[in-house]
């Protein structure tokens, strides 16, 4: 009787967490569609009505992030949330083509990594804008569109192929309705964590440190108000990104360590992990205008964002 009650309670908690994740992902999809519509409208308006180009590096990097968030959230709904909801309702769910589900899991984890590397690109752009302001070739739009943005996709997807074909660690999880990276053996999940979270996070930390160091040097030498304001805005936005990244990573690490300590990876831990994933997408989508001046300007023009002085 007690086991049945605990099982029912676990299923209820899993269902609630899954519904919250679904709600977040749906909201994220709607926000991304809204961003795309506003950006396209303003670019067309600027080109044909005012005769000027609205695209710059910051906006292109944000468009890339919006696209990544949209694809990742859609993949998570299709591959994780929907099958889990069907399973929790007690309906049969057959997996006729394991290779398709395995490939979807590979794409989902890869897009998760691309999201963090996309934020690393934003940090890199801020870094070169402050540290190498005279190196104009580092500020060119073509560098990011033709090399850096495609490069981040190629880097993450090629490294995740090691998980898929090298370690063969993307399989059906016990008591779950989807394929994912199995936590045992630990080295596959550890490798994925390095590629997806740890490396980009430390790169952002390095950029943050170098920007702070440069700010202190310029503060000692120059006293111009505009320079102080620009550096302060960069610092504040970088700090916000670090807090977001750090929060998600800490939650992820706690969940994984708890599982290894207890030698048990149950459904509740999976729900918390993917709820954390949905929360990160939601947070990134909401805070994106605060790290992209052009996107914030577009939202202000549509009265979707308060004017900040």
């Amino acid at each position: 009787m007690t086991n049945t009650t605990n099982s029912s309670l676990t299923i209820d908690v899993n269902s609630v967490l899954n519904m919250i994740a679904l709600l977040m992902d749906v909201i994220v999809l709607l926000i991304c569609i809204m961003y795309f519509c506003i950006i396209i409208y303003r670019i067309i308006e600027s080109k044909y009505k005012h005769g000027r180009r609205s695209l710059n590096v910051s906006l292109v990097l944000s468009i890339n992030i919006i696209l990544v968030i949209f694809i990742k959230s859609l993949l998570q709904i299709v591959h994780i949330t929907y099958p889990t909801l069907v399973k929790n309702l007690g309906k049969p769910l057959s997996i006729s083509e394991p290779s398709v589900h395995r490939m979807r899991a590979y794409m989902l984890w890869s897009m998760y990594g691309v999201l963090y590397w996309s934020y690393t690109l934003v940090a890199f752009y801020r870094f070169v804008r402050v540290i190498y302001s005279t190196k104009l070739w580092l500020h060119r739009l073509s560098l990011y569109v033709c090399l850096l943005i495609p490069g981040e996709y190629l880097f993450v997807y090629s490294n995740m192929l090691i998980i898929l074909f090298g370690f063969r660690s993307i399989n059906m999880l016990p008591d779950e309705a989807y394929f994912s990276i199995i936590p045992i053996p630990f080295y596959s999940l550890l490798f994925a964590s390095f590629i997806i979270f740890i490396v980009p996070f430390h790169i952002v930390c390095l950029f943050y440190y170098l920007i702070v160091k440069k700010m202190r040097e310029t503060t000692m030498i120059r006293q111009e108000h505009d320079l102080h304001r620009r550096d302060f805005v960069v610092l504040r936005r970088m700090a916000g990104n670090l807090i977001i990244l750090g929060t998600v990573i800490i939650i992820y690490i706690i969940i994984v360590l708890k599982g290894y300590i207890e030698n048990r990876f149950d459904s509740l831990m999976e729900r918390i992990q993917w709820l954390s994933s949905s929360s990160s997408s939601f947070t990134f989508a909401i805070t994106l205008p605060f790290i992209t001046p052009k996107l914030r300007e577009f939202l202000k023009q549509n009265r979707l964002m308060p004017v900040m002085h």
Side-chain angles (χ1 to χ4, degrees):
M1 182 68 176
T2 304
N3 291 336
T4 304
T5 304
N6 291 338
S7 178
S8 300
L9 180 61
T10 302
I11 293 175
D12 290 339
V13 172
N14 288 344
S15 299
V16 170
L17 294 179
N18 209 42
M19 288 301 297
I20 295 174
L22 176 61
L23 178 62
M24 283 186 173
D25 285 327
V26 170
I27 293 174
V28 166
L29 292 177
L30 294 175
I31 291 174
C32 290
I33 292 173
M34 180 191 70
Y35 285 162
F36 277 128
C37 292
I38 291 174
I39 290 172
I40 293 171
Y41 172 76
R42 289 301 172 185
I43 289 176
I44 294 174
E45 180 189 47
S46 179
K47 182 176 178 59
Y48 291 99
K49 190 175 181 179
H50 303 290
R52 64 174 184 269
R53 190 182 72 174
S54 297
L55 279 177
N56 55 26
V57 175
S58 178
L59 184 59
V60 168
L61 291 177
S62 291
I63 293 173
N64 177 51
I65 291 174
I66 295 169
L67 181 62
V68 172
I69 293 174
F70 184 86
I71 295 174
K72 173 193 164 294
S73 298
L74 189 60
L75 276 172
Q76 185 168 330
I77 291 175
V78 173
H79 183 68
I80 302 291
T81 312
Y82 174 73
T84 305
L85 284 174
V86 173
K87 176 178 175 292
N88 290 341
L89 291 174
K91 296 182 179 180
L93 187 67
S94 60
I95 298 179
S96 56
E97 298 182 11
S99 59
V100 175
H101 292 265
R102 188 174 283 109
M103 187 57 62
R104 285 197 323 213
Y106 161 74
M107 292 179 62
L108 175 57
W109 278 93
S110 297
M111 292 307 296
Y112 204 2
V114 171
L115 176 58
Y116 282 88
W117 280 99
S118 298
Y119 265 77
T120 305
L121 266 188
V122 175
F124 172 76
Y125 175 63
R126 295 225 178 92
F127 169 75
V128 299
R129 189 177 60 185
V130 175
I131 307 297
Y132 299 108
S133 57
T134 59
K135 304 287 186 180
L136 298 182
W137 66 275
L138 288 172
H139 302 252
R140 290 177 182 171
L141 183 61
S142 58
L143 173 67
Y144 294 85
V145 174
C146 300
L147 182 62
L148 296 182
I149 292 178
E152 70 176 10
Y153 285 83
L154 181 62
F155 174 79
V156 176
Y157 270 82
S158 59
N159 276 280
M160 290 303 293
L161 284 175
I162 298 175
I163 301 291
L164 182 62
F165 295 115
F167 299 150
R168 298 184 180 274
S169 298
I170 298 181
N171 291 299
M172 188 79 173
L173 293 177
D175 301 324
E176 295 294 341
Y178 55 85
F179 280 64
S180 187
I181 298 177
I182 55 176
I184 299 174
F186 75 94
Y187 54 78
S188 57
L189 200 56
L190 181 63
F191 178 80
S193 301
F194 266 94
I195 298 299
I196 294 173
F197 306 107
I198 299 174
V199 174
F201 178 74
H202 281 83
I203 291 175
V204 173
C205 289
L206 177 62
F207 288 153
Y208 175 79
Y209 167 76
L210 293 174
I211 288 175
V212 171
K213 184 178 178 181
K214 181 68 174 179
M215 281 179 58
R216 290 177 178 175
E217 292 175 358
T218 54
T219 304
M220 293 290 291
I221 299 172
R222 306 175 185 177
Q223 299 297 327
E224 298 176 6
H225 179 270
D226 290 342
L227 183 60
H228 282 300
R229 180 173 178 81
R230 185 194 67 176
D231 289 341
F232 175 74
V233 169
V234 171
L235 173 63
R236 184 177 59 190
R237 292 170 184 171
M238 290 292 295
N241 288 343
L242 284 174
I243 292 172
I244 295 171
L245 290 169
T247 302
V248 176
I249 290 174
I250 289 172
I251 294 174
Y252 173 78
I253 291 174
I254 290 174
I255 293 171
V256 173
L257 288 178
K258 182 176 182 293
Y260 282 118
I261 292 172
E262 298 178 352
N263 196 25
R264 181 171 61 91
F265 297 88
D266 55 16
S267 297
L268 182 59
M269 293 181 62
E270 286 291 320
R271 298 290 76 73
I272 294 174
Q273 176 183 341
W274 291 110
L275 177 62
S276 173
S277 172
S278 299
S279 301
S280 66
S281 298
F282 181 80
T283 305
F284 285 145
I286 291 294
T287 59
L288 189 58
F290 296 98
I291 67 169
T292 310
K294 198 68 178 179
L295 179 58
R296 188 167 67 250
E297 178 186 332
F298 288 165
L299 293 177
K300 288 178 182 177
Q301 291 172 357
N302 286 270
R303 298 181 180 180
L304 294 173
M305 192 170 182
V307 179
M308 298 174 64
H309 300 284

